[in-house]
Amino acid sequence: MMRQYELVERVARYNPHTDEHLLNRAYVYAMKAHGSQTRASGDPYFSHPLEVAAILTNLRLDDATIVAALLHDTIEDTDTTRDEIDRLFGPEIGALVEGLTKIKKLDLVSKRAAQAENLRKLLLAIADDVRVLLVKLADRLHNMRTLQYVPEDKRARIAEETLDIYAPLAGGMGMHWMREELEDLAFQVLQPDAYRVISTQLAERRDESAKVISEIALALREKIGAAGIQAEISGREKRPYSVWSKMERKAVSFEQLSDIYAFRVIVENVADCYRTLGIVHMTWSMVPGRFKDYISTPKQNDYRSLHTTVLGPGHQRVELQVRTREMHEIAEYGVAAHVIYKENVSDSVKSGNGVRKDRLASIDSNAYRWLKQLVDMLAEGDTPEEFLEHTKLQLYQDQVFCFTPKGRVISLPRGANAIDFAYAVHTDVGNNAIGCKINGRLEPLISQLSNGDEVEVLTAKNQVPPAAWESLVMTGKARQSIRRAARTQIRTQYAGLGRKMLERSFARISRTYSDEKLTAVLARLGQSNVEDALSAVGRGEIPASDVIKAVYPDHRDERARDKASTGGTTRNEEGWFGLRRAMGLKFRLPGRASRESKLAAEKSEAGPGAIPIRGLHGDLPVQFAPKGGAVPGDRIVGIMMPGEAITIYPIQSPELKQFDEHPERWLDVRWDIDPDDPERFPAVIAVRALNEPGSLAEIAQIIGEQDANIDTVTMTMRAPDFTEMEIALEVWDLKHLNRIMALLRSAAVVNAVWRVNG
Ligand code: MN
C-alpha cells in the first residue's frame, strides 16, 4: 500500500502549490474511517481509495480531486456524513464526495426506463463538476483491475456496465488510455475465450514483427530527420478489444488487421505535423481514403492529430498518427489535461472556495461542452426513453442499442440487423430464428435496427440458418454461428445420404449394413469416425464399393468385371448402376446412355433402392435444377457434384445432356413426399399471350386462384401481336402444375403454354 508521504510526493511533483497538510489530513481521515474494513481481495479497504487517488495523480489532478478520491467511499460505507466532510475539508470537496456517493448505487444495466433514469442521474451528478466523473472513472478502473476477487456471478454485470457506460464516457472525455484499459478489462471478463485468442495472437505477432517495426521506425526516422524535424517515433501496441471490435464492426479477419503496423510521431509544432505528413506522402504511396486531418477539425473530445496510412518500406500498410506534444497530452488525458493547464495558468487559485467552480465552468474543452450539452438536454423534459436514445446516440457513435421484450439492452454495431440481434441474445435464438417483431410489428429479419428498437425474435425448433445469412450479418458472432450451423447440417446431410447408399449396396449383395461393420474398417478407409466415413461416401469421395471391398475382402463384384471391360469411370458406380437398373438399361455401356433411352425408360418406376427425396428441407443435401426444376410426379434423377448439393432434374430435362459423359455423377432418386407436411416446389412455364392490356393480370389471376405462388415473371419476347414470358412458379406437384397449364391454355388471351425444362 502506498505510504502517506509517497502520495504527497507524487502530487507535489506536478503541483508545486499543493496543500500538503490537506492531503495528509484526508489520508489519515479516510484510513481511520474505513478502519478494519477489508476488500474482497482481503486487502485493507483503504487500499482502494488510495489506489484511486494514485490513478488521479497520473492524470495530474488538483488537490480537491485527490482528496475527494481518498474520501469517495466514506459517506456510503462508513459513519461519515456530508456535514462532517464540509466541516473538515470544505464544501467543494463535500460536494464532490456527495456527488460520488449519489452515483455509487446507480444500476446502469437494468431495465430500459430505469436505466435511462439512472444514466440521467449519473450525467447530472458528473456535469455539476467534471471532477466527479474523473474520480468515478478512476474508481471504476481500480475496481476493474481487481475484479478477479469479486464473486464470479457479479463480474459480468460490472464488466458490462463498464463496457457500455464508463469506457465510452472515458472516450468521450478524451481519456484514451483509460478507455482502452477499461475496454480490455471488461472484454477479458465478458468474452474470455475471444480475449485469450486475440491476446495470444497479438503476443505472437509482437515477437514476429519486432524486426519489421524497427525497420519501419528507422526508415521514418531517417526521412523525417533529414528534413531537420525533431520527432519522437514510437510503434503503437494494438489492444485486444480494439482488434476484436474492428473484426466485428468491419467484418475483417485477424490477419487483415495484423498486417498493419501502427506508429505515432510526436513533433514540436503544428507546422512540423504537416511537414512530416508531406515527407511521408512523398516517400511512400498513401492508401486512398485513409488521410484524416483532425488538427483543422478536432474530434468532439478535443482529439487532434493527423492520420494517414501509407505503403511502407517493405510494402506493409503503415498507419501514422502525427501530433504535437500538447495534442498528445490531450489525447491521453482529455478533460483532465485541461484541468491542469488551467491550474498552471491561474496557479494562485487555492482550492476550497467558489472560485474553483468558475474556473472549471470556463474550461475551454469540447469534451466538457459535450457533457454540458447532454445535461442541457435533460432540462428539455424528454421522457427517459427519448433521453436514453439521444444520449446513447451521442455516447456511442458506432453502436445501436436495442432491447429485448424483457428490457435487456443489446448493443450492436451500427448497421446490424435483427439476425445479429438474435445471435447477440443467444446462439440458439439466432439458429432458430424464423422472423421478428420490431417495436411490435412483424418485420423481415434482415431489417437494419435503429437505436431504441425493441426486438422480439420469433423462433421455431430445429431450424437451420440459411447459408445466405452469412453475408447479411454485421457481427462476427452471428457470422461464425451461421457458418458452424451450416457445416454441421451439411455434414449430417451427407452422412445421411452415405448411409442410404451403403444400405442399398449391402442389400444388393444380400448383406445388411451396420455401423459396427463400418467401424471395423474405418482405418482402412482412412477415416476417423463413422460420421466422417458416411459423409465421405455421401459426398462421393469414397465409392460405396470400396466400403464393400473393405468389409468383405473376398466378395467378388461382378460389376467390377463389367467396369474393367468397358473402361468406364466408376467414381460412383453405385449411382450409375442403380439408375441403369432402375431404367432397365443393364447392358448399356456407361457414358453412352442417350437422352432418348432415358426417355424410353421414363415410364418405368424408380427402383426400390432409389434414394428418397423429400424436398428442399428434408434430411439430404438437395437442390433443384436452376432453370425449371422437377416437381413431385416428374421422373427425376440426381446429379452429384463434388462438394455441392445433389441437383434434382426432371429426367426429360435437356440440361442433363451435359452430364452424359459423366455417368459416375448420376444418382437414382425417387420422390418421398410426406402428405402431412406438403411443400411447394419450383417450376418454370412459358406462356405466349396476346399483347393487350390486362392479359398479364388475367394470367396472374388464374395462377393465383389455383393456389400457386408466382416467384418471377420474365418477358422473353415482345411483338406487336404477342408477348412471351417465363413464369417461375411454386406448385405442390405435377398434377397441380398441369391443371394450371390447362386453365391457362383455356384463357382467351393465352395462345400457348409450355413447360421450360420439364
Ligand atoms: Mn470506490
Side-chain angles (χ1 to χ4, degrees):
M1 199 156 73
M2 200 192 315
R3 303 288 180 81
Q4 196 170 336
Y5 72 88
E6 285 176 282
L7 178 71
V8 175
E9 257 177 24
R10 283 174 84 139
V11 179
R13 221 172 292 149
Y14 64 81
N15 181 5
H17 302 286
T18 181
D19 184 345
E20 294 190 14
H21 183 57
L22 178 72
L23 293 176
N24 283 324
R25 278 195 298 128
Y27 186 103
V28 173
Y29 181 87
M31 188 166 66
K32 278 193 181 146
H34 287 292
S36 58
Q37 290 174 355
T38 52
R39 302 202 85 211
S41 59
D43 288 341
Y45 193 90
F46 179 60
S47 65
H48 165 66
L50 193 56
E51 282 301 325
V52 175
I55 291 169
L56 294 166
T57 63
N58 292 335
L59 292 169
R60 294 177 294 176
L61 285 166
D62 62 348
D63 291 348
T65 313
I66 305 296
V67 171
L70 289 171
L71 301 175
H72 82 271
D73 281 332
T74 53
I75 295 185
E76 177 72 28
D77 296 341
T78 75
D79 299 334
T80 305
T81 60
R82 163 79 197 266
D83 286 348
E84 194 177 346
I85 293 184
D86 278 4
R87 192 162 45 78
L88 292 170
F89 303 98
E92 181 194 358
I93 289 169
L96 287 174
V97 176
E98 189 175 16
L100 285 156
T101 308
K102 268 194 229 153
I103 59 180
K104 195 173 177 195
K105 284 273 146 106
L106 297 181
D107 182 355
L108 298 169
V109 279
S110 54
K111 279 196 175 180
R112 189 178 179 183
Q115 187 189 28
E117 194 46 47
N118 283 341
L119 186 58
R120 175 183 176 133
K121 283 184 193 150
L122 173 78
L123 292 174
L124 275 173
I126 60 188
D128 245 8
D129 190 327
V130 73
R131 292 174 298 179
V132 172
L133 174 59
L134 299 178
V135 179
K136 180 66 198 173
L137 288 172
D139 176 38
R140 177 50 60 107
L141 181 59
H142 184 244
N143 285 334
M144 286 299 295
R145 283 177 181 169
T146 51
L147 200 60
Q148 72 268 30
Y149 301 112
V150 171
E152 209 167 336
D153 54 312
K154 288 190 182 147
R155 282 182 217 162
R157 203 175 173 77
I158 298 173
E160 204 178 312
E161 192 181 69
T162 301
L163 199 56
D164 281 359
I165 308 284
Y166 291 107
L169 270 175
M173 292 294 105
M175 294 149 82
H176 201 60
W177 68 271
M178 190 185 277
R179 177 189 191 139
E180 286 182 334
E181 188 174 346
L182 288 172
E183 282 174 346
D184 284 340
L185 289 166
F187 177 43
Q188 191 171 2
V189 172
L190 294 172
Q191 306 203 53
D193 292 341
Y195 178 85
R196 197 165 338 109
V197 170
I198 289 178
S199 23
T200 312
Q201 295 223 38
L202 282 176
E204 280 169 10
R205 301 285 158 143
R206 198 151 40 226
D207 301 341
E208 256 174 50
S209 50
K211 199 170 145 252
V212 184
I213 288 172
S214 65
E215 276 169 17
I216 298 173
L218 187 69
L220 281 169
R221 222 162 263 139
E222 263 175 27
K223 289 290 173 187
I224 297 170
I229 298 172
Q230 284 286 334
E232 198 179 292
I233 297 167
S234 52
R236 272 189 297 128
E237 288 259 316
K238 288 201 174 66
R239 311 288 304 223
Y241 182 76
S242 88
V243 169
W244 170 255
S245 58
K246 260 191 199 137
M247 285 166 67
E248 277 206 319
R249 201 171 57 236
K250 301 196 174 144
V252 293
S253 67
F254 185 85
E255 276 64 33
Q256 281 168 290
L257 285 173
S258 58
D259 291 342
I260 301 171
Y261 297 89
F263 288 86
R264 180 171 296 146
V265 182
I266 296 174
V267 296
E268 288 184 320
N269 52 50
V270 174
D272 280 354
C273 290
Y274 289 102
R275 284 174 65 204
T276 302
L277 180 78
I279 292 161
V280 168
H281 280 185
M282 280 193 296
T283 311
W284 298 289
S285 45
M286 73 180 273
V287 177
R290 302 280 304 169
F291 170 63
K292 293 206 181 77
D293 183 349
Y294 293 120
I295 292 180
S296 65
T297 330
K299 282 195 190 181
Q300 159 269 119
N301 59 12
D302 298 326
Y303 177 85
R304 294 161 80 207
S305 279
L306 298 175
H307 286 191
T308 190
T309 304
V310 295
L311 293 178
H315 286 281
Q316 323 86 340
R317 281 165 83 97
V318 177
E319 271 178 15
L320 286 172
Q321 296 176 340
V322 186
R323 54 174 70 150
T324 64
R325 170 68 50 196
E326 188 194 336
M327 292 174 196
H328 182 61
E329 302 256 299
I330 291 175
E332 291 294 304
Y333 300 123
V335 165
H338 288 279
V339 174
I340 212 64
Y341 277 124
K342 286 287 173 181
E343 181 88 26
N344 294 337
V345 172
S346 55
D347 53 11
S348 60
V349 178
K350 284 260 189 256
S351 62
N353 55 42
V355 180
R356 172 67 47 134
K357 259 227 157 119
D358 294 346
R359 184 180 63 75
L360 282 168
S362 70
I363 285 180
D364 184 23
S365 145
N366 277 322
Y368 195 47
R369 229 171 285 136
W370 166 77
L371 189 63
K372 284 281 187 202
Q373 264 172 23
L374 284 185
V375 176
D376 287 346
M377 235 163 43
L378 290 172
E380 286 163 20
D382 290 333
T383 64
E385 283 85 355
E386 279 170 14
F387 170 69
L388 182 68
E389 200 165 317
H390 285 299
T391 321
K392 293 223 152 163
L393 217 65
Q394 301 211 20
L395 264 181
Y396 317 100
Q397 313 246 340
D398 304 332
Q399 284 173 288
V400 290
F401 284 80
C402 302
F403 298 89
T404 67
K406 285 185 180 162
R408 184 176 151 208
V409 180
I410 304 288
S411 68
L412 295 164
R414 190 160 292 283
N417 58 33
I419 305 171
D420 291 299
F421 180 93
Y423 278 103
V425 172
H426 196 278
T427 307
D428 289 344
V429 175
N431 282 340
N432 290 328
I434 51 165
C436 70
K437 280 185 181 171
I438 301 177
N439 302 321
R441 280 183 47 162
L442 274 172
E443 302 277 359
L445 276 166
I446 54 166
S447 310
Q448 260 197 25
L449 299 177
S450 315
N451 251 321
D453 279 346
E454 184 184 296
V455 185
E456 181 186 352
V457 180
L458 310 172
T459 57
K461 281 219 163 79
N462 301 322
Q463 295 295 305
V464 178
W469 279 7
E470 196 187 317
S471 58
L472 299 174
V473 295
M474 281 283 292
T475 54
K477 180 177 184 201
R479 194 168 309 112
Q480 241 173 14
S481 310
I482 293 163
R483 220 176 280 151
R484 190 175 314 128
R487 260 203 315 268
T488 314
Q489 188 208 18
I490 288 170
R491 190 163 171 272
T492 313
Q493 286 182 335
Y494 276 110
L497 176 62
R499 180 183 299 278
K500 290 194 169 96
M501 288 165 68
L502 287 181
E503 281 166 358
R504 283 176 44 198
S505 303
F506 277 71
R508 199 168 306 130
I509 58 166
S510 311
R511 310 286 169 111
T512 311
Y513 166 80
S514 74
D515 283 354
E516 288 71 38
K517 287 176 187 165
L518 184 58
T519 307
V521 297
L522 280 177
R524 287 183 61 187
L525 296 169
Q527 301 294 315
S528 53
N529 60 54
V530 170
E531 180 91 359
D532 281 350
L534 289 175
S535 169
V537 173
R539 265 178 230 278
E541 287 160 10
I542 300 179
S545 57
D546 280 11
V547 179
I548 302 264
K549 268 178 233 151
V551 177
Y552 304 109
D554 298 334
H555 176 75
R556 240 178 107 68
D557 188 347
E558 61 188 57
R559 285 184 300 274
R561 283 198 305 269
D562 190 8
K563 176 180 71 180
S565 64
T566 60
T569 32
T570 53
R571 179 133 182 265
N572 182 8
E573 59 177 292
E574 166 65 18
W576 166 245
F577 283 106
L579 182 64
R580 285 207 307 161
R581 198 181 41 250
M583 293 176 177
L585 297 175
K586 278 202 173 83
F587 300 105
R588 289 204 68 101
L589 302 181
R592 292 284 172 80
S594 65
R595 187 165 165 254
E596 284 71 24
S597 57
K598 279 176 227 146
L599 284 172
E602 200 175 341
K603 291 225 160 52
S604 75
E605 274 305 301
I611 308 274
I613 298 295
R614 271 258 143 117
L616 284 175
H617 307 294
D619 54 354
L620 293 179
V622 162
Q623 63 182 12
F624 289 91
K627 237 189 142 216
V631 299
D634 279 330
R635 278 281 290 120
I636 49 175
V637 291
I639 297 294
M640 292 180 83
M641 303 291 275
E644 279 176 42
I646 301 163
T647 309
I648 305 297
Y649 289 86
I651 202 155
Q652 65 273 27
S653 169
E655 299 283 316
L656 281 170
K657 205 162 174 53
Q658 57 182 311
F659 305 111
D660 269 358
E661 300 302 316
H662 300 281
E664 75 282 1
R665 293 198 178 157
W666 293 63
L667 195 66
D668 189 13
V669 292
R670 66 178 165 84
W671 292 106
D672 176 30
I673 301 302
D674 180 356
D676 295 329
D677 185 20
E679 209 181 310
R680 291 174 188 272
F681 291 85
V684 181
I685 59 172
V687 177
R688 187 188 302 133
L690 294 179
N691 187 3
E692 60 177 49
S695 55
L696 183 59
E698 194 174 335
I699 291 164
Q701 192 188 347
I702 292 170
I703 295 172
E705 279 167 0
Q706 293 306 310
D707 183 34
N709 291 338
I710 298 181
D711 266 348
T712 57
V713 177
T714 315
M715 290 294 169
T716 48
M717 187 205 76
R718 188 183 276 266
D721 47 353
F722 288 104
T723 56
E724 276 181 24
M725 63 196 97
E726 282 186 4
I727 304 178
L729 297 171
E730 286 191 324
V731 297
W732 297 113
D733 55 19
L734 189 59
K735 237 163 93 187
H736 187 201
L737 181 63
N738 284 338
R739 190 171 70 232
I740 292 165
M741 289 169 66
L743 279 165
L744 285 173
R745 283 189 192 104
S746 70
V749 295
V750 173
N751 170 263
V753 181
W754 64 99
R755 195 171 161 195
V756 176
N757 242 357

